[in-house]
Amino acid sequence: MATTTPPKPATALSGLDRYFKITERGSTVGAEVRGGLVTFFTMSYIIVLNPLIVGTVKDGTGHYLGGGTSPNLAMVAAATALVAGVMSIAMGVGANFPLAIATGLGLNAFVAYSIASLPGMSWQDAMGLVVIEGIVILALVLSGFREAVFKAVPHEMKIAISVGIGLFIAFIGVVDSGFVRIPASHATPVELGIGGSLSSWPILVFAVGLVLAIILMVRKVKGAILIAILGSTVLAVILQAVAKIGAQTPDGKNPTGWELNVPAVPHSLVSLPDFGLLGKFSLFGSVGKVGITAVALFVFSLVLTDFFDTMGTMVAIGSEAGLLDEKGNPINTKQILVVDAVAAAAGGLGSVSSNTGFIESAAGVGDGARTGLASVVTGAAFLLATFLSPIVGMVPSEAATPALVVVGFLMVMQVSGIDWKNIELAIPAFLTLIVMPFTYSITSGIGAGFISYVVIKLAVRKARDVHPLMWGASILFVVYFTLGPIKAALGI
């Protein structure tokens, strides 16, 4: 009698695979680790840049962040990396989404120059407002309001937001590399390189990195973006050692220098971090300094910027990673928004300004990341960076920014999903995707799209087609765009 051989059991998935749904999303552990590292190297500039923004500005009492009479950039850098690391891991574990978190650019400048520097205000007062911002956003998330606004946005507007962010991050890439600059003569808003010429070694590093990334991607080499970043960094270190290029100076005397980090082999691989900034905030101290009305306007500005920046970022990342549902909403939307809200408050608690999702995460997604494991890897790298800052300092922005240009291209490919023959949607979509790079602001682009969408629907007598939450959001954007006159009228 013949016997039937039982089928072999399917290969058992590891607990890590099951938790992050790695195989289910068509990824591998190797791809997630690689993608997480690409994201880290692409956004690690924040460890250097955030201290230069919030660490070099005196508050209204004449003190620098940390309470001293001189900047302590190392302390700010350590806290910046720590909060980014913890919150990126939280995003990966709590929301299983390949979105890394760090101090938000634009938000930190607003906190430094528009809040902390006001007469009588201290850095502790300013960071207290950031904590309040995070609490307000968390309340909006838990109430369902933030998610409801997000889902009220028309599908084609979500595509436009993603495409606009693609243009925006590509622009960030060419600007941060020095490939595109503000001309010294100011004859035009921007120019190619220096005087229309690519006449510096750092720009060469960017160009080589970009060409290498493109060639590797076209040839479908795994880890193309990471390989390009590492290869460009090696080239940069060699060029610095031979040509002694040095950094660009604030007075403009060395325009051919490195934009931010000077790539060089460090004397020491490890440095002990100073976390003395943690917990240095005053929750309501600002009320007695500038009044409740000014505090309300400041919190409103922070909330609105963070609110819509995150919305645009998670749509773009979800679209690139194939993690959107049939309505164009990212999976695990509520969990993403909860972690992001907590991150905003954590930035205040750590005295490094509001933390938020970074669009540079798209670089990791472009290199294969599809799950929250990539965010855990990025977070772990940030935590290590608190001790290994000399190694992080080896990677110049010129070596990392080609990744942004390549990923910008990948995101712009989605533009075919917009019905350009439907002018009622095409015009708001167009305004959304051009205003983002032109104003260097995701929030401004979304606001321009929202307001124009509502105005057009009113003009063609289709007001009923506009979701009530789109009306509300558009009104808030009108207020946001006119905050200058409002503050002037109130004497703030």
Side-chain angles (χ1 to χ4, degrees):
M1 184 176 177
T3 59
T4 303
T5 302
K8 294 182 179 180
T11 302
L13 299 177
S14 67
L16 184 72
D17 194 316
R18 289 195 302 272
Y19 184 86
F20 288 106
K21 302 181 179 179
I22 297 172
T23 300
E24 181 180 326
R25 295 186 184 177
S27 185
T28 65
V29 172
E32 296 303 309
V33 171
R34 193 170 60 241
L37 290 175
V38 166
T39 294
F40 170 74
F41 283 117
T42 307
M43 62 185 286
S44 61
Y45 67 85
I46 195 64
I47 302 174
V48 176
L49 190 54
N50 190 51
L52 293 178
I53 294 174
V54 300
T56 58
V57 177
K58 290 183 179 180
D59 63 18
T61 67
H63 292 87
Y64 290 96
L65 184 58
T69 55
S70 60
N72 189 335
L73 303 187
M75 183 187 290
V76 181
T80 298
L82 177 66
V83 177
V86 171
M87 294 315 306
S88 293
I89 291 173
M91 179 64 76
V93 174
N96 194 18
F97 199 72
L99 177 62
I101 289 177
T103 303
L105 289 174
L107 287 167
N108 56 0
F110 179 73
V111 171
Y113 296 104
S114 298
I115 300 179
S117 58
L118 289 174
M121 285 283 281
S122 68
W123 273 109
Q124 291 91 335
D125 298 330
M127 292 305 169
L129 289 180
V130 174
V131 175
I132 293 173
E133 172 225 342
I135 294 172
V136 171
I137 292 178
L138 182 59
L140 293 174
V141 173
L142 296 178
S143 68
F145 180 77
R146 194 179 189 189
E147 189 174 359
V149 171
F150 175 75
K151 292 182 176 179
V153 179
H155 178 63
E156 293 202 348
M157 287 294 293
K158 291 175 181 175
I159 295 176
I161 290 170
S162 182
V163 173
I165 290 176
L167 293 173
F168 178 46
I169 65 171
F171 189 50
I172 291 174
V174 295
V175 169
D176 286 358
S177 66
F179 187 82
V180 170
R181 303 186 184 201
I182 299 174
S185 65
H186 294 281
T188 57
V190 292
E191 67 178 3
L192 178 68
I194 304 170
S197 175
L198 304 180
S199 53
S200 77
W201 291 117
I203 295 178
L204 173 66
V205 170
F206 168 79
V208 169
L210 180 58
V211 171
L212 179 59
I214 291 172
I215 291 174
L216 293 175
M217 286 187 65
V218 170
R219 294 181 63 86
K220 302 186 185 303
V221 174
K222 291 184 178 180
I225 295 177
L226 181 58
I227 293 171
I229 292 174
L230 296 178
S232 300
T233 299
V234 171
L235 174 61
V237 171
I238 294 173
L239 287 173
Q240 173 60 30
V242 174
K244 308 298 181 183
I245 301 164
Q248 294 182 31
T249 56
D251 57 13
K253 291 183 178 179
N254 187 25
T256 60
W258 302 101
E259 178 75 21
L260 198 59
N261 292 4
V262 176
V265 178
H267 298 293
S268 173
L269 300 181
V270 179
S271 62
L272 293 176
D274 181 353
F275 297 129
L277 281 179
L278 302 184
K280 302 295 185 181
F281 70 96
S282 174
L283 197 59
F284 300 111
S286 57
V287 176
K289 308 290 179 58
V290 296
I292 189 65
T293 302
V295 166
L297 283 174
F298 288 141
V299 172
F300 170 78
S301 300
L302 290 169
V303 167
L304 199 67
T305 301
D306 205 350
F307 190 108
F308 287 101
D309 262 21
T310 299
M311 186 179 80
T313 298
M314 71 185 203
V315 169
I317 299 299
S319 179
E320 180 65 22
L323 299 177
L324 301 181
D325 62 22
E326 65 281 358
K327 295 182 179 179
N329 302 316
I331 61 174
N332 301 333
T333 293
K334 188 164 187 177
Q335 292 94 319
I336 296 169
L337 295 177
V338 166
V339 175
D340 183 76
V342 173
L349 294 171
S351 297
V352 294
S353 185
S354 182
N355 273 232
T356 188
F358 258 53
I359 191 57
E360 282 85 349
S361 304
V365 171
D367 215 33
R370 295 294 181 271
T371 77
L373 179 57
S375 297
V376 172
V377 171
T378 302
F382 268 115
L383 294 182
L384 285 174
T386 62
F387 296 93
L388 304 176
S389 56
I391 295 178
V392 175
M394 287 180 63
V395 183
S397 59
E398 290 83 357
T401 47
L404 300 183
V405 178
V406 171
V407 173
F409 158 73
L410 296 174
M411 295 171 68
V412 170
M413 289 174 66
Q414 303 169 52
V415 75
S416 59
I418 298 173
D419 182 5
W420 293 104
K421 294 181 179 180
N422 183 350
I423 196 168
E424 294 176 20
L425 283 172
I427 290 177
F430 174 72
L431 290 174
T432 298
L433 61 91
I434 65 166
V435 170
M436 282 188 194
F438 289 170
T439 63
Y440 227 66
S441 168
I442 294 174
T443 301
S444 294
I446 295 175
F450 277 26
I451 293 172
S452 60
Y453 174 79
V454 171
V455 169
I456 289 173
K457 289 299 183 182
L458 275 174
V460 297
R461 299 180 180 180
K462 294 182 180 179
R464 292 183 179 179
D465 292 350
V466 181
H467 194 286
L469 291 177
M470 283 291 288
W471 281 101
S474 297
I475 292 170
L476 288 176
F477 271 119
V478 170
V479 175
Y480 178 74
F481 288 144
T482 56
L483 274 177
I486 290 174
K487 289 179 182 178
L490 295 174
I492 297 174

